[in-house]
Amino acid sequence: MYAGELLFLLIALLGRHIVNINATLVAQAVVFLILAWVTMKFVWPPLINALDERTQKIADGLAAAEKGKAELAVVNKQVEQTLVQAREQGQQRVAEAEKRAQVAAEEIKRNAQSEAARIVTQAQAQAEQQFVAARQALRNEVAELAVKGAEQILRREIDSKAHAALLQQLKTEL
């Protein structure tokens, strides 16, 4: 029964004077003390143990949560440091790549300039050789013409006017 119903029943019984108040009061006190002793002996310890276990679990959970927060903060800091290092390494690699590209470009430029200088030198050497060959060919022709002119002079008997005319003709041919 509910406590309210018991109280109502008690008031109803007292109102009729059917129950002796002294005996009822003593009996109720004895029952209450027995109930309190049974409760304290058998019911209360498991409840206290359950509450203590629950309190311990909650405390352990809160401690684990705090520990997790601390670990998360440490890990976040490590992640930030790693990201900063990765960015710095990336920037260094980009800078190194740019340097290598500049060095390669300079090397290619120097190679191209040296190749151009070599080609120009080779072309000048060929032109010089052709010039020398043309000069030699011209000398050979001049020599042949001189020999022909001398031959013609020697074949004919020539006076000084004919000789001058022949030399003039030889000059024009040269």
Side-chain angles (χ1 to χ4, degrees), residues 64-133:
E66 288 299 320
K67 184 179 177 184
K69 280 183 183 179
E71 289 176 359
L72 180 63
V74 168
V75 169
N76 281 338
K77 191 177 283 187
Q78 288 175 347
V79 166
E80 281 187 39
Q81 289 174 350
T82 303
L83 286 174
V84 166
Q85 288 174 349
R87 284 185 190 120
E88 288 174 358
Q89 287 177 353
Q91 289 172 350
Q92 287 175 351
R93 287 182 181 169
V94 167
E96 288 174 5
E98 287 175 353
K99 279 184 181 179
R100 284 194 301 252
Q102 286 179 343
V103 167
E106 290 295 324
E107 181 71 24
I108 290 170
K109 190 176 181 181
R110 281 194 303 270
N111 288 344
Q113 288 174 345
S114 65
E115 182 67 18
R118 186 187 65 79
I119 290 172
V120 167
T121 305
Q122 188 178 20
Q124 286 175 344
Q126 284 179 345
E128 184 69 29
Q129 287 175 353
Q130 289 175 353
F131 178 72
V132 168

Side-chain angles (χ1 to χ4, degrees), residues 7-162:
L7 185 62
F8 178 72
L9 183 62
L10 183 63
I11 292 173
L13 289 175
L14 288 176
R16 291 189 188 167
H17 298 287
I18 299 174
V19 178
N20 186 0
I21 294 177
N22 292 335
T24 305
L25 195 57
V26 171
Q28 286 179 350
V30 169
V31 170
F32 176 75
L33 290 175
I34 292 172
L35 182 62
W37 179 80
V38 169
T39 302
M40 290 175 73
K41 183 77 174 169
F42 298 109
V43 176
W44 195 253
L47 286 176
I48 294 297
N49 288 339
L51 288 175
D52 288 342
E53 287 176 10
R54 180 71 180 150
T55 302
Q56 187 62 38
K57 284 181 183 179
I58 290 172
D60 290 345
L62 289 174
E66 288 299 320
K67 184 179 177 184
K69 280 183 183 179
E71 289 176 359
L72 180 63
V74 168
V75 169
N76 281 338
K77 191 177 283 187
Q78 288 175 347
V79 166
E80 281 187 39
Q81 289 174 350
T82 303
L83 286 174
V84 166
Q85 288 174 349
R87 284 185 190 120
E88 288 174 358
Q89 287 177 353
Q91 289 172 350
Q92 287 175 351
R93 287 182 181 169
V94 167
E96 288 174 5
E98 287 175 353
K99 279 184 181 179
R100 284 194 301 252
Q102 286 179 343
V103 167
E106 290 295 324
E107 181 71 24
I108 290 170
K109 190 176 181 181
R110 281 194 303 270
N111 288 344
Q113 288 174 345
S114 65
E115 182 67 18
R118 186 187 65 79
I119 290 172
V120 167
T121 305
Q122 188 178 20
Q124 286 175 344
Q126 284 179 345
E128 184 69 29
Q129 287 175 353
Q130 289 175 353
F131 178 72
V132 168
R135 185 185 273 174
Q136 188 63 35
L138 186 61
R139 282 184 187 160
N140 288 343
E141 285 184 36
V142 167
E144 281 183 29
L145 287 176
V147 169
K148 282 183 183 179
E151 204 176 284
Q152 287 178 2
I153 290 174
L154 290 175
R155 283 194 188 161
R156 297 191 216 165
E157 276 188 66
I158 306 177
D159 58 7
S160 64
K161 286 183 185 176

